[in-house]
Amino acid sequence: KHFVKTVKTAQIVAVLFFMLLMNLSNCLHDSVLFMTIPEIIAVATGILSVWFAKKENILVYPIGIISVLLYVYICLEVKLYADAAINAYYFVVSIYGWYYWKNGKTEGISKNKIEQNQFDQVFTIEQDIPFPGKKASISWNKKEENLYYALGTIFLAVFLGYMLNEFTDSNVPYWDGGTTAIFCMAMILMALKKIENWIYWIIGDVICIPLFFSKGLCLSSFQYLIFTVIAIAGLMAWMKKYNHLKTTS
């Protein structure tokens, strides 16, 4: 009897999983049909920029800037003003991050110790850098810095959630405010080349998967799933590179 009950349960789970896949497939199909050229370019450059971030390649910023500027336009067109604002914020921080990655401090690690493959050397070869100083290298935050960032994220999430709840017609104000706060901190930490940036990206991306799916934005939801996978790989790659640089410096 226990075996029969287990088999029936497994069959029910399999049917539900199959139905979920079918719904997701139909949703993705409909999303693709209604995608505009700016959205296609925004999604493609967004995924590409996250991949460049994983590789610690400075192309993350010029490619990412294309994506965020397109999303400012897209969000304004559909009256998603908070999302438009966060993408405008991404643009400003990207300009800073682009400069800092080329001209920031190296945390005591010699630039000659930094290993780069041929692909990662695009825009990062020393003679091509127009600024004085040394290229920034990846590092961890101190414990107290992580506490400040965590408290700042919570405060910003509550503040944005309250503002969205009081002054907009959003039906998910605190979820929206929370992901916005997380991504704000993630962008700052990435600009500073802090390894913790990947942890913030992972948390925000995971939350956005069901959030966007619940809004019928299946393609964007799928994009955040891809972002999550790349962010996990990015965290592992940056940790490995940091440990290698520490042992060879």
Side-chain angles (χ1 to χ4, degrees):
K1 291 182 179 181
H2 178 71
F3 176 77
V4 173
K5 185 177 180 180
T6 302
V7 171
K8 289 183 177 180
T9 302
Q11 289 175 339
I12 293 172
V13 172
V15 170
L16 291 175
F17 182 71
F18 177 76
M19 292 174 62
L20 177 62
L21 287 179
M22 290 299 295
N23 288 332
L24 180 59
S25 175
N26 292 334
C27 189
L28 286 172
H29 178 264
D30 293 340
S31 296
V32 171
L33 289 179
F34 289 101
M35 284 184 72
T36 62
I37 296 299
E39 187 179 2
I40 293 172
I41 297 174
V43 169
T45 52
I47 293 174
L48 190 59
S49 69
V50 175
W51 176 256
F52 281 131
K54 171 188 172 294
K55 301 292 291 183
E56 202 196 349
N57 189 310
I58 203 168
L59 282 174
V60 58
Y61 289 112
I63 298 298
I65 285 172
I66 296 173
S67 180
V68 298
L69 288 179
L70 285 172
Y71 266 116
V72 169
Y73 166 76
I74 293 168
C75 292
L76 287 175
E77 284 290 302
V78 297
K79 299 181 179 180
L80 291 174
Y81 302 116
D83 285 329
I86 188 64
N87 278 283
Y89 163 81
Y90 286 163
F91 170 73
V92 174
V93 178
S94 292
I95 296 297
Y96 169 76
W98 195 350
Y99 174 84
Y100 183 84
W101 277 36
K102 297 179 75 172
N103 195 43
K105 58 185 179 180
T106 61
E107 298 290 338
I109 298 174
S110 172
K111 183 176 180 179
N112 294 328
K113 298 287 186 179
I114 299 176
E115 292 187 353
Q116 297 175 318
N117 59 41
Q118 184 175 3
F119 185 66
D120 286 335
Q121 288 179 346
V122 179
F123 293 163
T124 61
I125 301 176
E126 186 171 2
Q127 56 265 35
D128 290 338
I129 298 176
F131 305 106
K134 298 180 178 179
K135 184 175 76 71
S137 62
I138 56 178
S139 62
W140 288 98
N141 274 333
K142 298 177 181 178
K143 290 182 179 179
E144 57 270 23
E145 291 175 330
N146 280 326
L147 178 61
Y148 296 150
Y149 278 106
L151 293 175
T153 303
I154 295 171
F155 173 80
L156 184 58
V158 173
F159 173 76
L160 292 175
Y162 173 79
M163 297 296 289
L164 290 170
N165 186 56
E166 292 295 320
F167 301 105
T168 73
D169 56 356
S170 173
N171 60 352
V172 286
Y174 287 97
W175 286 104
D176 193 8
T179 53
T180 299
I182 292 169
F183 289 145
C184 280
M185 295 302 170
M187 196 66 184
I188 293 173
L189 290 167
M190 174 172 283
L192 296 174
K193 276 201 168 182
K194 297 297 182 179
I195 299 174
E196 288 87 351
N197 87 85
W198 291 112
I199 299 174
Y200 280 79
W201 287 120
I202 292 168
I203 294 172
D205 291 340
V206 168
I207 295 173
C208 282
I209 294 171
L211 180 62
F212 277 73
F213 187 82
S214 69
K215 293 288 188 178
L217 301 172
C218 303
L219 193 63
S220 293
S221 176
F222 183 69
Q223 178 185 234
Y224 278 107
L225 176 61
I226 296 175
F227 284 168
T228 302
V229 174
I230 297 176
I232 293 173
L235 175 62
M236 296 172 63
W238 279 37
M239 290 173 62
K240 181 179 179 181
K241 186 168 186 177
Y242 175 81
N243 290 333
H244 175 75
L245 293 174
K246 278 296 185 181
T247 57
T248 57
S249 60

